[in-house]
Amino acid sequence: MPHHTPLIATIVTGLALAFVFGALAHRLRISPLVGYLVAGIAIGPYTPGFIADQGLANELAEIGVILLMFGVGLHFSMKELWAVRNIAVPGAVVQIAVATLLGAALAHTIGWSPGAGLVFGLALSCASTVVLLRALQERRLITTERGQIAVGWLIVEDLVMVLTLVLLPAIAPLLGGHPDGQSAGSSSVDVSQLMKTVALTIGKVSAFVAIMMLVGRRVIPWILHYTAHTGSRELFRLAVLSIALGVAFIAANLFGVSFALGAFFAGLILSESQLSQQAANESLPLRDAFAVLFFVSVGMLFDPKIVIEQPLAVAATLLIIVIGKSLAALAIVRAFGHPLGTAFTISASLAQIGEFSFILAALGMSLDLLPAAGRDLILAGALLSIVLNPLFFVGLDHLKPWLEKKDETHPANNAEPEAEEEPVSVTDLEGHVIVVGIGRIGKRIIDNLAPSAKPLYVIDENEEEIKRLHARSIEGIAGSATTLLHAANPAKASAMIVAIPSNFEAGQAIEQGRAANAAMPIIGRAQTEAEADYLRSYGATHVIIGADTLADALLATYRATASEQPPPPASPEPPPEPKT
């Protein structure tokens, strides 16, 4: 067996160091993303010690982006995407133009060519998919109007960047560079060829969207439903991953669309299926792991010397990303009449750069448009903006009361109020039963307890199930029990039933419930005695072990069935032997 295994070495060292530095960052009460970036710097080529394979790290990170965008598509819908087109399209285009002009101005000040300024500015204009979605998901903003605007804005940015990557080699001679295979001195531009390239790109993107709407809408849900009927969870998980990765790969190689955009449309088509929530749950573990590798790969690109050698240029680049872009987005959103809270949320979401910035920088260098210093400044700006981005949302949390007060008095809000997600409020119920999880087990529990005198409060991540319970006058909230248990008012509850299969999440929910109510009975579920001991250690008073309960039910059914059956007929006696 060969011992030279760069893929395994990159995955192992990347994930292990990400865990170590991420845990340390959590201990210091800062975002674990900082730890993941530091892990990348530690295994990058600019620090001593082990050096991971950068090419492999980038490809692994791309898988994380694909799975993340697939998950976003699962929670999105064409109706919601179409609803934000009036602000997402002009907003993204104007914001890209502003950021590009600011970047070009900085490049001119440094002494770079106009072509370098164009590439540099464009690289500073596009936000990171992973960072933006992670920030919105952590704050449960994906399904709100501001979250939909931010995601729609991101999709438009991706489309613009796809078009840029196709057109840039064609116009490189006009900008002072050279396309692949030509000499640097060539400066002619074939206008007709350029127009053909533009038309071909738009045609490919349109063809991909049309095929996904007409064919994918029927084929993709059918594949998932067929696999679900096999009864194999392993096959279902494999089908989900095959759809996400396969559609993204086909989109990139046949239609020239980015991996992220292809995966988003795959999730968008699948969101219309009843199995969308299960598909999202099955892809979540792998999605999280590869998203971590994305941040590690960004850290590997960073050369710390740039901060010492060119501090003013680094500071100016960072200001364009976190201040220039943010102010442009803020002004655009406000110009369209949206509340100040929405404008600040979108501004904070876009105050960073990521994947497309790196791709564009690499292309600019290959075309002799962007100097190496430009790439280093882009990487420095990306790393620092990703580190600072969580602080913007922390600041928004502190400004929330002020923003709400301002939005109440803004005249635009009186004309057409926004359909924002209501803030999490604590229920007024007392003596109620908290049920965590609406799976097959949770549904039976809820159906049996609903007619009783005690009210119920249900927590589950499936928003559609929660809406169905609301129609039955049963209170509940959609989201994770680890972050929303306080909404169920556990201090005044009479009991708590945790019916989710995840022991990790169940343990945290039980721990919070026990801390809020020391006398409340808490009932959990487990598959093994070790899992039961784990839940008891967090405060569960009773734990039902699935295997034992199933065995008891099977035995009870067998005994009841055996007692109901008539005794078997007696065997006929042999005829008497004839007398002699």
Side-chain angles (χ1 to χ4, degrees):
M1 179 178 179
H3 296 284
H4 182 65
T5 52
L7 177 61
I8 296 176
T10 301
I11 295 175
V12 171
T13 54
L15 292 179
L17 287 178
F19 165 71
V20 172
F21 288 110
L24 181 61
H26 180 75
R27 180 73 175 176
L28 297 175
R29 299 185 181 278
I30 57 178
S31 173
L33 298 184
V34 179
Y36 306 155
L37 293 167
V38 173
I41 296 174
I43 62 176
Y46 305 105
T47 53
F50 172 78
I51 299 176
D53 190 308
Q54 180 65 61
L56 289 175
N58 290 340
E59 292 191 25
L60 293 171
E62 194 68 58
I63 296 178
V65 175
I66 291 171
L67 295 177
L68 193 68
M69 286 299 289
F70 178 71
V72 172
L74 286 173
H75 293 95
F76 224 70
S77 70
M78 285 301 298
K79 183 179 179 181
E80 293 169 341
L81 187 59
W82 186 254
V84 299
R85 70 189 186 283
N86 290 333
I87 182 173
V89 175
V93 171
V94 174
Q95 179 250 301
I96 289 173
V98 171
T100 302
L101 289 174
L102 292 174
L106 176 59
H108 178 73
T109 303
I110 297 174
W112 296 347
S113 67
L118 177 63
V119 175
F120 184 70
L122 286 170
L124 301 185
S125 68
C126 49
S128 165
T129 301
V130 179
V131 177
L132 184 147
L133 297 179
R134 180 69 66 89
L136 294 179
Q137 287 173 341
E138 286 178 353
R139 289 158 182 83
R140 301 177 64 245
L141 293 173
I142 287 289
T143 56
T144 65
E145 185 178 26
R146 65 187 65 182
Q148 293 165 13
I149 293 174
V151 174
W153 199 299
L154 183 72
I155 297 301
V156 176
E157 282 192 354
D158 282 357
L159 287 172
V160 172
M161 290 303 116
V162 168
L163 187 62
T164 300
L165 293 175
V166 174
L167 296 180
L168 197 59
I171 64 174
L174 186 65
L175 300 173
H178 66 91
D180 296 333
Q182 292 187 18
S183 63
S186 177
S187 59
S188 60
V189 179
D190 190 338
V191 178
S192 62
Q193 183 62 37
L194 179 59
M195 297 303 295
K196 289 180 182 178
T197 302
V198 174
L200 182 62
T201 301
I202 296 175
K204 285 183 176 180
V205 174
S206 301
F208 170 73
V209 174
I211 290 174
M212 290 299 293
M213 294 294 103
L214 298 176
V215 180
R217 181 173 286 181
R218 293 178 174 84
V219 174
I220 292 177
W222 178 83
I223 293 174
L224 213 58
H225 280 269
Y226 172 80
T227 310
H229 283 110
T230 65
S232 172
R233 186 175 182 180
E234 179 180 349
L235 281 178
F236 183 83
R237 184 182 294 118
L238 190 60
V240 172
L241 295 176
S242 299
I243 290 171
L245 299 174
V247 172
F249 184 80
I250 292 172
N253 285 272
L254 296 184
F255 298 95
V257 179
S258 68
F259 285 121
L261 198 61
F264 173 79
F265 271 99
L268 195 65
I269 295 301
L270 199 54
S271 66
E272 301 177 7
S273 168
Q274 296 179 350
L275 297 171
S276 60
Q277 183 63 37
Q278 187 177 352
N281 294 336
E282 293 298 334
S283 62
L284 183 61
L286 200 62
R287 189 165 75 225
D288 287 345
F290 280 101
V292 169
L293 288 175
F294 163 75
F295 292 103
V296 172
S297 69
V298 173
M300 291 176 63
L301 293 168
F302 181 61
D303 184 359
K305 290 190 300 182
I306 189 70
V307 178
I308 301 173
E309 295 175 352
Q310 301 186 46
L312 294 179
V314 171
T317 301
L318 183 62
L319 287 175
I320 291 173
I321 297 169
V322 301
I323 302 297
K325 284 176 58 181
S326 297
L327 290 178
L330 180 68
I332 295 165
V333 177
R334 290 297 279 169
F336 277 83
H338 289 272
L340 201 58
T342 300
F344 269 95
T345 300
I346 295 173
S347 299
S349 301
L350 299 170
Q352 37 75 23
I353 59 175
E355 312 85 73
F356 271 115
S357 304
F358 313 142
I359 298 172
L360 197 57
L363 179 62
M365 290 188 64
S366 68
L367 298 174
D368 284 346
L369 287 174
L370 186 71
R375 180 202 59 189
D376 293 338
L377 287 177
I378 291 170
L379 294 176
L383 182 64
L384 295 174
S385 63
I386 289 173
V387 171
L388 292 176
N389 194 249
L391 300 180
F392 280 78
F393 285 95
V394 173
L396 278 180
D397 293 337
H398 289 292
L399 290 174
K400 188 175 181 179
W402 178 79
L403 292 173
E404 291 176 349
K405 185 177 180 180
K406 285 287 186 181
D407 288 339
E408 289 176 359
T409 59
H410 192 263
N413 298 332
N414 298 328
E416 186 178 354
E418 285 196 296
E420 288 293 331
E421 183 178 4
E422 295 182 359
V424 177
S425 59
V426 178
T427 180
D428 296 328
L429 295 177
E430 295 186 9
H432 55 293
V433 178
I434 302 172
V435 179
V436 179
I438 317 180
R440 188 173 182 179
I441 295 173
K443 284 183 179 178
R444 294 194 63 179
I445 294 171
I446 293 168
D447 291 340
N448 280 273
L449 293 180
S452 65
K454 289 187 176 181
L456 298 178
Y457 191 96
V458 184
I459 305 175
D460 190 84
E461 293 186 350
N462 192 329
E463 190 171 359
E464 294 301 320
E465 292 290 350
I466 294 296
K467 288 180 180 178
R468 294 188 186 100
L469 293 180
H470 288 168
R472 297 168 56 185
S473 300
I474 298 175
E475 287 194 42
I477 190 169
S480 173
T482 58
T483 57
L484 295 175
L485 187 64
H486 67 281
N489 196 10
K492 300 293 181 65
S494 61
M496 177 174 167
I497 302 175
V498 182
I500 52 178
S502 171
N503 251 36
F504 178 75
E505 186 176 352
Q508 293 192 26
I510 291 171
E511 183 181 31
Q512 293 180 30
R514 178 58 63 221
N517 191 334
M520 175 177 60
I522 301 179
I523 307 169
R525 57 174 284 194
Q527 295 297 325
T528 64
E529 189 63 43
E531 291 182 1
D533 291 339
Y534 173 81
L535 296 182
R536 293 189 193 103
S537 68
Y538 278 95
T541 51
H542 302 84
V543 180
I544 308 302
I545 300 178
D548 294 347
T549 305
L550 182 59
D552 294 341
L554 289 170
L555 286 171
T557 304
Y558 162 73
R559 288 169 179 147
T561 305
S563 63
E564 293 172 359
Q565 290 180 350
S571 301
E573 295 183 3
E577 297 181 3
K579 294 181 180 180
T580 55

